[in-house]
Amino acid sequence: MKKLETIYLYDGSFKGFLCCIFESYVHKEVPSDIVPEESACPTLFETRSIATDESRALRVFRKVAVLSGEAALLLRRGFLTCLERREMRLYQLVAKLLREGPGFLKNLADETLLPVLKAVRHLEGEAQLLRGFVRFSEYSGVLGGEIEPKNRVLPLLRSHFCSRFPNEQFFIYDRTHQEALFYTAGKAVIVPLEQFEIAPPDETEASYRRLWKRFYDTIAIKERENPRCRMTQMPKRYWNTMTEFQDETFFIAQKSITGTAISAPP
């Protein structure tokens, strides 16, 4: 394998990334970087656009899975993380797996494995917190919530909320990555959603929000208030989408502002 001063550009999908790995091994070359086309910056290096081919992506993933189910899970979940230079880190993990076999996965301090492992643990920890931190509101019979995670956690949240609300219609919008999980009639899908803004509540929903805020404030024991402990158990970066930490405008019904009825989300 020869190293190139060439940057692979791909469509940003997991399958597209797997096709970059396929391209590298077909031509026996190692790219200097792998970057989503939408994130590409002007560079003096040569760039090459890699087309996404589902059959090629499947061949790569099957090969990884045959060698190690653990590596396949790390690869899939690692792609959801906010790991710096994520694509090259994952490329190096696959390259080492193909070169040496799965033995190095037992060494948790391995320099290729460790960054990916830490990123995946961060992803899983964030998903675990958000299973309790997501706050839903009702919009004409549809439950909706927003989150601002560092990682793309929606694939990990999908099974939890779909099993929790099997008979409901709901959505969770990820502001950070501009994508949303929609669930209805037993089917769930995650789709890109660049421009999205949740409507204000109606009178009923606004009253429920106020009740929740009152409950949260009432059960607090002033003499035992410990801001540091609270921020440890409930990190402050999650507060922006949690009902109990919103300002007064969050609790005002739509008809009080515009006099019109609220419309359901798509």
Side-chain angles (χ1 to χ4, degrees), residues 179-197:
E179 59 185 9
L181 165 65
F182 290 97
Y183 174 84
T184 184
K187 296 181 180 180
V189 62
I190 297 173
V191 297
L193 208 58
E194 293 184 4
Q195 295 184 353
F196 181 76
E197 184 176 348

Side-chain angles (χ1 to χ4, degrees), residues 131-170:
R131 289 184 182 103
F133 291 167
V134 176
R135 299 290 184 259
F136 286 98
S137 294
E138 184 178 0
Y139 303 93
S140 300
V142 178
L143 299 178
E146 293 184 281
I147 56 176
E148 289 184 340
K150 291 183 178 179
N151 303 284
R152 293 182 59 211
V153 297
L154 289 180
L156 276 68
L157 296 179
R158 174 165 43 193
S159 61
H160 171 79
F161 286 105
C162 290
S163 61
R164 184 179 177 186
F165 304 126
N167 301 317
E168 302 286 351
Q169 296 181 70
F170 71 83

Side-chain angles (χ1 to χ4, degrees), residues 20 25 32 40 46 52 68 105 119-120 156 197 203 212 216 219 230 238 240 244 249 256:
C20 291
Y25 276 82
S32 60
E46 177 188 353
T52 299
S68 170
L105 297 173
V120 170
L156 276 68
E197 184 176 348
E203 285 287 2
W212 173 252
Y216 179 83
I219 64 171
R230 180 172 69 170
Y238 296 104
N240 197 38
E244 52 267 42
T249 59
S256 300

Side-chain angles (χ1 to χ4, degrees), residues 36-264:
E37 290 176 340
E38 62 180 18
S39 304
C41 299
T43 177
L44 297 176
F45 293 119
E46 177 188 353
T47 60
R48 185 190 307 167
S49 293
I50 307 300
T52 299
D53 183 307
E54 189 168 346
S55 62
R56 291 182 173 184
L58 186 59
R59 284 177 62 183
V60 173
F61 192 75
R62 279 179 175 171
K63 179 63 176 180
V64 172
V66 166
L67 290 172
S68 170
E70 179 186 355
L73 181 61
L74 278 175
L75 181 61
R76 184 180 290 278
R77 292 200 169 178
F79 191 77
L80 301 174
T81 68
C82 55
L83 177 64
E84 185 178 0
R85 295 199 72 198
R86 177 190 62 191
E87 287 84 359
M88 284 307 296
R89 294 282 193 182
L90 294 174
Y91 173 87
Q92 290 163 2
L93 181 73
V94 174
K96 189 163 188 173
L97 177 68
L98 296 175
R99 185 173 64 249
E100 301 179 9
F104 76 96
L105 297 173
K106 298 178 181 179
N107 178 14
L108 301 185
D110 182 88
E111 61 180 10
T112 302
L113 172 64
L114 183 58
V116 177
L117 193 60
K118 289 174 66 175
V120 170
R121 285 174 177 171
H122 184 267
L123 164 77
E124 294 171 342
E126 188 170 47
Q128 178 62 29
L129 288 174
L130 284 168
R131 289 184 182 103
F133 291 167
V134 176
R135 299 290 184 259
F136 286 98
S137 294
E138 184 178 0
Y139 303 93
S140 300
V142 178
L143 299 178
E146 293 184 281
I147 56 176
E148 289 184 340
K150 291 183 178 179
N151 303 284
R152 293 182 59 211
V153 297
L154 289 180
L156 276 68
L157 296 179
R158 174 165 43 193
S159 61
H160 171 79
F161 286 105
C162 290
S163 61
R164 184 179 177 186
F165 304 126
N167 301 317
E168 302 286 351
Q169 296 181 70
F170 71 83
F171 67 89
I172 302 174
Y173 179 61
D174 180 345
R175 295 177 181 174
T176 308
H177 304 94
Q178 296 184 314
E179 59 185 9
L181 165 65
F182 290 97
Y183 174 84
T184 184
K187 296 181 180 180
V189 62
I190 297 173
V191 297
L193 208 58
E194 293 184 4
Q195 295 184 353
F196 181 76
E197 184 176 348
I198 291 184
D202 60 13
E203 285 287 2
T204 302
E205 175 58 31
S207 67
Y208 278 122
R209 291 182 180 184
R210 290 192 292 269
L211 282 172
W212 173 252
K213 181 68 165 63
R214 188 180 305 163
F215 168 76
Y216 179 83
D217 294 338
T218 300
I219 64 171
I221 302 174
K222 185 177 180 180
E223 290 74 17
R224 298 184 64 182
E225 185 175 340
N226 187 335
R228 179 171 293 182
C229 179
R230 180 172 69 170
M231 285 188 286
T232 299
Q233 302 299 322
M234 185 184 289
K236 198 169 184 177
R237 68 184 180 88
Y238 296 104
W239 293 7
N240 197 38
T241 57
M242 298 177 70
T243 303
E244 52 267 42
F245 297 108
Q246 303 307 304
D247 60 26
E248 290 301 319
T249 59
F250 187 76
F251 303 91
I252 300 175
Q254 184 187 45
K255 74 175 186 180
S256 300
I257 302 173
T258 64
T260 59
I262 192 168
S263 58

